[in-house]
Amino acid sequence: MRCNICKDKHESAELFGKPVLFTSLPIEQESVPDNWFCYDLAASDRNPVKPATLEDHVVWNRVGTVLSPVPLKRETTMARQIKNSFHLHEELLDLAGFCEKNHLDYPQDPRKYVLRPASPGKEAGLFYSLMDLEKDAASGTVGHMRFYFRDGRFNHSWWPHNDDQFNTPKFKEVLQEFVNELLTRGPLKNESTMRRWCYGYPEGEIGRESVGFVAETADYRFCLRCTTDTSDYGYLYCYDLNQQKLAMEQAQQYGLSAEGLQHLQNASDPSIPHTYKWYLLRDSNMPEEQMFSGLSLEEAVELYAASDSRDKHLGVTKDGIASVDLLITHDDREWYSEDYQKSDSFKADRTIIQALEQIHQTLDAPAQGMTMGGM
């Protein structure tokens, strides 16, 4: 768990003769107000519960964190001895109460966009491209950004969705502001910060070595997919909430929402027969993109094996409504996707399990020069 320094109550304390707020929970450095200071308290091996030193960041023997309106050590000092200068008061205060008690101006949250960990059971699909164009339009997908760090630099590319029709000047302005905040005081500050965010929010795990974070405004939803795999990309998916609302209203107008929901429920019911249409997608989100759909499994596997594309997806559409990738090649890496295990429509489907076994047997092993991995 982590604390919200603006809303949660902390223990009033004194350190080096200065008033501070103390919490045993971690505090995100990115949430610390401007001109305020956050330090960890470390215990000694001799007494693992008593604070012994004040440090910027403690990995081992951390016993708590303090928030202070004034600096408590020099920037160049690695650790400051506490000795008997730390005293807890029998009082709980939120940040506003602490400021009022000590005659301080209340600081504003420096973040305009507050990230929360994703809910894997409900939101995992928001961090991946939808193969169904109608679903992509109904989701109001503006586009997605692919990014990576190299030599300490942040690199990215943009992939439009829905013919780029939702990528308005207003959206571009909000996106630029959001990304700038991620780069200055968020998980994209650098590669090590991104990994720290991933390790700090295991509840947001949406795939192997991937953790999702969500931020929302009145008009947009941003879904940031971070990774601890230095050889993999991170992604940012952007959605226009007004377009989602419009699509939902149109669906309700034509009586499609209830019907669509029933179709999805039927797709996850093993007691009724289902239809399966296989597809091969090549060069996704590129001008030369090609989609071969309505195939048998054998046809799809044959096309996949024959294609020399460095970006190809072999997958299946069930009952014409639910789709999932099973085998992916991207930038000379090939892996079997585990996304089907996250979908009620596919995770208990014996046909899919048997199809995966057949794909394994037919294709045997990845082509020479490729490596298996997760994305």
Side-chain angles (χ1 to χ4, degrees):
M1 292 182 63
R2 285 153 226 89
C3 68
N4 184 316
I5 62 175
C6 295
K7 297 181 180 179
D8 293 343
K9 290 189 175 182
H10 317 293
E11 294 183 75
S12 176
E14 180 182 299
L15 180 56
F16 305 131
K18 306 294 184 181
V20 297
L21 284 173
F22 170 82
T23 175
S24 60
L25 298 175
I27 291 179
E28 296 170 352
Q29 293 289 333
E30 293 78 13
S31 68
V32 177
D34 293 334
N35 301 316
W36 282 61
F37 303 87
C38 180
Y39 305 98
D40 283 345
L41 303 183
S44 64
D45 292 335
R46 182 182 303 174
N47 189 340
V49 296
K50 181 181 178 181
T53 58
L54 177 82
E55 304 178 32
D56 290 325
H57 180 65
V58 173
V59 178
W60 306 109
N61 293 339
R62 177 187 166 277
V63 293
T65 303
V66 294
L67 184 68
S68 171
V70 297
L72 299 178
K73 71 176 186 65
R74 294 186 179 94
E75 291 185 7
T76 56
T77 301
M78 297 295 294
R80 183 179 179 184
Q81 296 296 319
I82 292 176
K83 298 182 179 178
N84 296 317
S85 62
F86 179 66
H87 307 284
L88 284 172
H89 302 154
E90 294 182 359
E91 184 179 25
L92 293 177
L93 294 173
D94 58 15
L95 185 56
F98 177 82
C99 290
E100 181 179 358
K101 179 179 178 179
N102 293 283
H103 310 291
L104 300 168
D105 292 333
Y106 181 76
Q108 297 299 314
D109 191 327
R111 303 165 299 173
K112 183 174 182 179
Y113 303 94
V114 179
L115 294 171
R116 61 168 175 81
S119 175
K122 298 179 180 179
E123 298 178 318
L126 296 174
F127 298 84
Y128 299 86
S129 292
L130 294 171
M131 305 307 301
D132 189 313
L133 296 181
E134 291 186 4
K135 290 183 182 178
D136 207 32
S139 297
T141 314
V142 184
H144 75 268
M145 182 179 75
R146 188 177 69 181
F147 62 87
Y148 63 96
F149 293 91
R150 178 173 294 167
D151 298 327
R153 297 183 59 184
F154 177 78
N155 302 272
H156 69 280
S157 56
W158 175 256
W159 306 90
H161 288 233
N162 289 302
D163 298 323
D164 214 26
Q165 59 179 313
F166 305 147
N167 191 11
T168 63
K170 176 185 175 183
F171 168 76
K172 292 177 180 177
E173 180 180 352
V174 175
L175 175 63
Q176 185 66 62
E177 187 178 55
F178 177 65
V179 172
N180 285 345
E181 186 166 300
L182 294 180
L183 294 172
T184 55
R185 62 188 320 138
L188 302 189
K189 189 174 183 179
N190 50 53
E191 193 168 21
S192 61
T193 299
M194 180 175 67
R195 289 198 298 269
R196 176 169 60 82
W197 273 69
C198 289
Y199 294 135
Y201 291 88
E203 68 271 29
E205 184 176 347
I206 55 174
R208 188 170 59 183
E209 298 186 273
S210 294
V211 176
F213 300 95
V214 179
E216 291 187 356
T217 70
D219 300 307
Y220 302 105
R221 176 181 293 121
F222 296 104
C223 297
L224 179 68
R225 178 173 144 205
C226 295
T227 178
T228 57
D229 184 351
T230 57
S231 66
D232 201 356
Y233 293 108
Y235 291 85
L236 172 64
Y237 281 84
C238 309
Y239 301 92
D240 188 319
L241 298 179
N242 293 317
Q243 290 297 328
Q244 282 188 13
K245 182 179 179 182
L246 178 62
M248 185 177 297
E249 290 174 349
Q250 291 175 341
Q252 291 174 344
Q253 179 181 356
Y254 292 102
L256 298 178
S257 58
E259 180 183 358
L261 179 61
Q262 186 60 53
H263 282 313
L264 283 175
Q265 292 174 341
N266 291 343
S268 60
D269 187 348
S271 66
I272 61 178
H274 302 286
T275 61
Y276 302 86
K277 299 294 183 182
W278 298 82
Y279 64 78
L280 174 69
L281 174 65
R282 299 193 314 195
D283 304 311
S284 175
N285 297 315
M286 299 289 287
E288 59 269 28
E289 176 179 304
Q290 286 185 293
M291 180 71 167
F292 303 88
S293 58
L295 307 173
S296 67
L297 174 59
E298 292 75 15
E299 291 171 334
V301 171
E302 183 178 353
L303 280 174
Y304 181 93
S307 173
D308 59 359
S309 172
R310 296 178 62 190
D311 186 298
K312 53 186 178 180
H313 304 243
L314 189 159
V316 62
T317 299
K318 183 177 180 180
D319 296 341
I321 193 168
S323 298
V324 70
D325 289 344
L326 296 179
L327 180 59
I328 302 171
T329 290
H330 183 74
D331 285 350
D332 291 333
R333 295 178 63 242
E334 183 179 65
W335 66 94
Y336 287 90
S337 172
E338 299 175 353
D339 289 352
Y340 75 94
Q341 297 177 354
K342 307 183 185 90
S343 169
D344 290 338
S345 299
F346 295 103
K347 63 184 179 183
D349 192 317
R350 287 299 307 166
T351 298
I352 300 302
I353 303 301
Q354 293 169 0
L356 278 168
E357 293 175 354
Q358 183 174 338
I359 294 171
H360 274 286
Q361 293 171 0
T362 304
L363 298 179
D364 190 18
Q368 186 176 1
M370 292 186 174
T371 59
M372 297 298 289
M375 188 166 182

